[in-house]
Amino acid sequence: EGSHLHRIIRWTGKGFSWQADPKYSEILVAELGLKGSKGVDTPSSKDTGKGDRTAGDELPAEEAAEFRRLAGTALYLSLDRPSIQFAMSEISSGMAKPTRLHMMRLRRLGRYLVKFPTEVWNFDYQEAPSEVIVYTDSDWGADKETRKSMSALAERFGCHLIDSSCARQSVVALSSGEAEFYSLTRGGAAGIMSQQIWDGLGYGRLNLVLETDSSAAKGIASRSG
């Protein structure tokens, strides 16, 4: 095994594995004062801050600076941990003006890291794939404040997960079909980039397959003219 850009890369007879440096989880748990606390099964919950009248209050300057520092560490960790990317999209929306709710969400993520401190990507040897598959989905109007939707994608090369992301859409979608279409378009762009990377490595031009559960998004994407 070896370390590269704070990632631990291991090789075995079955293939390779990729893991974020566990120290980042340890730092977050320790600095949030959660050592020894009970962990939770999910990094995010819609019930976080529910019923708290002060949830929308902005944090004092000193706490806001602390929040941004810890959220930055969590954001770096999320690059290698698909399970926390949705939670980080919610948390990072408060970087400009963090509120008590954003800090509650960060602490919720910390409690998840207490229970699940590591996450490993496994790349076992496989037959050479002929296509890149991108799965996309959207959570329409997920943000109750702005009514903006979330786009998510997971990209697969054979049996291997090679990329994933979750990000807030920049415009307000007026229907679930529109939100799903934006997510599908984002997934298509990511897939085309992967096609070009594989081609540049001399692997050849792979087929690109986009998967969505939205018939409306498929209908919009299939129109021409």
Side-chain angles (χ1 to χ4, degrees):
E1 71 176 53
S3 177
H4 176 66
L5 297 175
H6 302 288
R7 278 91 172 177
I8 300 170
I9 301 172
R10 296 185 179 91
W11 174 80
T12 68
K14 292 182 178 180
F16 296 85
S17 69
W18 173 289
Q19 178 186 343
D21 192 328
K23 74 176 183 182
Y24 293 110
S25 294
E26 294 168 5
I27 289 170
L28 285 166
V29 169
E31 299 208 18
L32 287 167
L34 297 172
K35 272 192 172 181
S37 65
K38 185 178 180 181
V40 293
D41 292 326
T42 59
S44 175
S45 171
K46 290 183 178 181
D47 291 332
T48 300
K50 195 173 182 180
D52 189 329
R53 294 182 180 181
T54 65
D57 294 351
E58 285 191 35
L59 294 175
E62 190 175 333
E63 288 184 42
E66 180 74 359
F67 167 82
R68 292 189 186 99
R69 185 176 66 82
L70 294 175
T73 301
L75 188 61
Y76 183 76
L77 181 64
S78 71
L79 296 174
D80 300 301
R81 297 200 56 168
S83 64
I84 68 172
Q85 288 174 350
F86 176 81
M88 276 313 305
S89 292
E90 292 188 317
I91 293 166
S92 59
S93 67
M95 287 298 235
K97 291 183 179 180
T99 64
R100 282 175 49 81
L101 177 60
H102 292 112
M103 181 58 87
M104 290 177 195
R105 288 171 173 170
L106 183 58
R107 289 184 63 81
R108 169 82 189 195
L109 173 62
R111 290 176 61 202
Y112 175 79
L113 296 177
V114 168
K115 189 167 185 177
F116 303 101
T118 61
E119 192 167 327
V120 180
W121 300 43
N122 291 307
F123 301 96
D124 293 343
Y125 295 128
Q126 61 178 350
E127 293 296 323
S130 60
E131 60 188 19
V132 172
I133 304 174
V134 184
Y135 301 90
T136 67
D137 199 6
S138 173
D139 191 359
W140 180 38
D143 191 316
K144 304 301 182 186
E145 295 280 330
T146 64
R147 305 310 303 176
K148 288 183 178 179
S149 308
M150 192 73 79
S151 289
L153 67 87
E155 192 173 342
R156 206 181 75 191
F157 182 62
C159 296
H160 300 161
L161 177 69
I162 58 173
D163 193 19
S164 66
S165 70
C166 192
R168 190 79 64 193
Q169 295 177 3
S170 59
V171 297
V172 177
L174 302 182
S175 69
S176 59
E178 183 184 351
E180 293 279 5
F181 173 68
Y182 293 149
S183 181
L184 184 66
T185 303
R186 187 165 177 269
I192 290 170
M193 185 175 72
S194 293
Q195 274 185 315
Q196 294 172 345
I197 290 172
W198 289 118
D199 196 21
L201 291 171
Y203 198 91
R205 192 72 172 177
L206 297 169
N207 294 324
L208 173 60
V209 179
L210 298 178
E211 297 278 1
T212 176
D213 62 354
S214 170
S215 56
K218 286 167 68 176
I220 296 170
S222 299
R223 293 174 193 164
S224 60

